[in-house]
Amino acid sequence: MALPAPNLDDRRFQDLVDDAKRLVMRRCPEWTDHNVSDPGVTLIETFAFMTDQLLFRLNRVPDRLYVKFLDLIGLRLLPPTPACAPVTFWLSAPASAPLTISTGTSAATVRSESTEAVVFSTLEELVVQPCSLLGVRTAPAGDDRTTDHAEPLRMGVPFQAFGAVPAPGDALYLGLTDPVPSCAVRIDFRGEVDGVGVDPTNPPLRWEAWDGQSWVRCDVSDDTTGGLNGNGTLVVHLPAAHAASVLDGERAGWLRARVLESEEGQPAYSSPPVVQALAACTVGGTVSAVHAEVVENELLGNSEGVAGQWFGVARSPLLAGAGSAVLEVSDEDGWQEWQQVEHFAASGPDDRHFLLDAVIGTVHFGPAVREPDGGLRQCGAIPATGETIRLRRYAIGGGVHGNVGSGAISTLKSSIPFVAGVSNREHAQGGVDGETLEQAKARASVLLRTRSRAVTAEDYESLAKEAAPEVARVRCMTAGEGDVTAGSVRVLVVPAAPQEDGRLRFEDLVPTEGLLGRITDRLDEVRLIGTRVAVEPPLYRGVTVVATVVARPRVDPDRVRRDALDALYRFLSPIGGGQRGTGWEFGRAVQAGAVFGVLQEVRGLELVEDVRLFGANPITGERGAQTARLELEPNSLVFSFGHQVRVERR
């Protein structure tokens, strides 16, 4: 069977004639005779025949030439975007000296018989600093004065971590000998089991560290103390900006455990924990890693000293956002770094600029453009003849399969002294596959129309995706939609989040400040003067489906229940849900009838007995009243929250 040929223009002879007659009626209303006997209609049919022959020849143009046409208008395929995750390197023993984990250190998921390992690489250096406990202080809520307990603790005198009746704001301060940015600090706690009243799995306690400006929340893992409610250890992951400070005359790297206001259903402390012994040490460090393989010091060749020269990269496609490619050119002063640009329009003859085609894998230097007076204008500097060109660093990889779950990155690709293992506490997210040719064709029409100017809603959406290829969906709301006022547009951004059978974590659907800032800066450059642009996440409306279904005889009801839940999570998903599987439509209501249809397609299910819809708050978990139709605002998307399916057998 022959490969299907692309149909670049599906208009035929009669379509062209009809279009021309419609234009005649619009532009020349006095021309009323549109019969085939009219000489003007004969001319229309003649030109339609000639155009039809051109379209026939155009449709025989292969994709390779079509790509060249797209290149002529300045369109380039978007490269893949790598997933990113914080990766923690665990030491084999508490640190006694600084340990440096270099840039490009690789870790991966476990390889199986059916799947290859997904490799992640660090793009910055991590220094794991040793530390120990220097000072211990307590402070009641609302009081800036602290009480020093370091010396009594060394003498074995126990003390209360908080007030006699712990109140929100009471704090236990721990001073480390040195600040340990990006490190994992283990706190060894021994005390009397007196901090009763709290839920050990959800204590009203928060660990924070001082970053030089304010107290920043810290992640806590492996807590066996139950909120300082028993003997054990916990690991506090400190922020990258952890800094030393002076507290009541004592200089240290401070962190604290602060009592919080109890939420609804969360028990509070009825009495304070009693501390008998405390110790601290560094057991690891955390650094951001991306789904990429870093290639260093690749020689591209020697310059010929001519304008418009280009060099091929050995491995492609290169990644977007995984640390820009660093290009260097050697001259008499050594290696000189050149700057990557999107185009040479603003480059002068002395500007050390280069252009990188990440998908094909080519490096281009500035061309010479002929001026109307016959002269030549050099756009960008040219490396001198014989100078060596190299890529000091670039990265390859990326794609949606890098969005792995928490704990999946568990294998070191190379042995590191004093490092026992590696893990990721959070999901990896942000991985997007590279743009396909079909997607580029759809974007070409927008590019031709906008020419990097945002006028219509489609312009804003297309330019936002160019600025942040890692986003899953972009929706632009104009004046009159929802509460958008005149002269304003609202751009809603849905980040690419990892999914497991359609299940999503709500926190993964909130775009980062860096992502929103990047899109905002780009749209601010191309918006019309006077237009106000707001870039924000959509409003998520939680929905809970409670269904009763009947399974067929001799069918495993547990399997039917799992399949039904998977179908609901896939269908009611802001990223891969909806009727087309491309994400739930913005503002589209959820109806019980649509849920009925989804459940009826589950294999092994005989009858859908009952379906009930409930609105839910995805943050607080509060469930609303039962409804047959859940309305959504124009800026809203649906989010699956705790579906329940009961399977009966007859």
Side-chain angles (χ1 to χ4, degrees), residues 326-341:
V326 179
L327 183 135
E328 295 178 334
V329 177
S330 68
D331 56 19
E332 61 275 6
D333 297 326
W335 291 102
Q336 305 296 326
E337 183 174 332
W338 286 45
Q339 180 184 357
Q340 181 180 346
V341 295

Side-chain angles (χ1 to χ4, degrees), residues 146-212:
T146 62
T147 302
D148 188 5
H149 296 281
E151 187 60 31
L153 191 64
R154 281 192 285 268
M155 301 296 295
V157 178
F159 66 94
Q160 292 181 342
F162 310 118
V165 178
D170 287 356
L172 169 66
Y173 291 84
L174 304 183
L176 305 180
T177 50
D178 293 293
V180 282
S182 301
C183 290
V185 175
R186 189 183 71 200
I187 307 296
D188 299 304
F189 175 82
R190 182 167 60 86
E192 298 178 13
V193 183
D194 210 15
V196 296
V198 298
D199 180 1
T201 62
N202 187 26
L205 193 67
R206 175 179 295 176
W207 286 87
E208 300 171 327
W210 182 258
D211 67 351

Side-chain angles (χ1 to χ4, degrees), residues 178-472:
D178 293 293
V180 282
S182 301
C183 290
V185 175
R186 189 183 71 200
I187 307 296
D188 299 304
F189 175 82
R190 182 167 60 86
E192 298 178 13
V193 183
D194 210 15
V196 296
V198 298
D199 180 1
T201 62
N202 187 26
L205 193 67
R206 175 179 295 176
W207 286 87
E208 300 171 327
W210 182 258
D211 67 351
Q213 301 292 332
S214 60
W215 291 98
V216 179
R217 182 174 182 175
C218 301
D219 292 335
V220 177
S221 62
D222 303 326
D223 186 1
T224 62
T225 68
L228 303 181
N229 200 24
N231 298 333
T233 62
L234 57 92
V235 177
V236 182
H237 299 270
L238 277 74
H242 186 222
S245 60
V246 177
L247 182 63
D248 284 350
E250 185 175 10
R251 186 182 186 278
W254 290 100
L255 65 151
R256 71 181 182 183
R258 183 168 60 90
V259 179
L260 301 177
E261 185 76 36
S262 297
E263 300 177 355
E264 183 179 354
Q266 184 183 35
Y269 284 100
S270 59
S271 59
V274 176
V275 182
Q276 294 178 334
L278 277 173
C281 61
T282 304
V283 294
T286 301
V287 64
S288 292
V290 294
H291 171 213
E293 181 182 349
V294 179
V295 182
E296 296 184 338
N297 299 326
E298 179 179 314
L299 294 178
L300 302 183
N302 295 327
S303 173
E304 298 178 354
V306 297
Q309 59 184 330
W310 60 273
F311 299 86
V313 182
R315 307 176 68 177
S316 63
L318 283 72
L319 290 183
S324 300
V326 179
L327 183 135
E328 295 178 334
V329 177
S330 68
D331 56 19
E332 61 275 6
D333 297 326
W335 291 102
Q336 305 296 326
E337 183 174 332
W338 286 45
Q339 180 184 357
Q340 181 180 346
V341 295
E342 294 184 3
H343 51 74
F344 294 109
S347 301
D350 298 325
D351 295 328
R352 294 176 173 177
H353 294 168
F354 73 97
L355 186 146
L356 175 67
D357 191 323
V359 175
I360 300 177
T362 54
V363 172
H364 298 260
F365 291 96
V369 180
R370 187 171 298 278
E371 297 285 2
D373 59 1
L376 290 178
R377 178 170 63 90
Q378 180 60 42
C379 299
I382 304 174
T385 303
E387 292 184 344
T388 304
I389 302 166
R390 76 174 182 183
L391 277 174
R392 181 162 58 85
R393 185 183 71 245
Y394 68 93
I396 58 174
V400 70
H401 60 283
N403 297 327
V404 299
S406 58
I409 306 173
S410 57
T411 304
L412 285 169
K413 297 297 289 182
S414 59
S415 178
I416 305 177
F418 309 111
V419 175
V422 64
S423 65
N424 60 309
R425 306 188 314 275
E426 301 177 6
H427 287 70
Q429 53 183 323
V432 178
D433 291 333
E435 188 178 36
T436 64
L437 182 59
E438 293 299 324
Q439 294 170 337
K441 290 178 182 178
R443 189 165 58 91
S445 59
V446 179
L447 177 65
L448 282 174
R449 185 176 68 250
T450 63
R451 303 308 301 175
S452 297
R453 281 291 176 267
V455 180
T456 66
E458 291 79 6
D459 300 342
Y460 280 97
E461 293 172 357
S462 176
L463 293 170
K465 289 181 179 178
E466 287 185 9
E470 66 269 26
V471 301

Side-chain angles (χ1 to χ4, degrees), residues 264 615-624 641:
E264 183 179 354
N617 188 321
I619 299 178
T620 65
E622 182 181 357
R623 182 182 296 180
F641 188 83

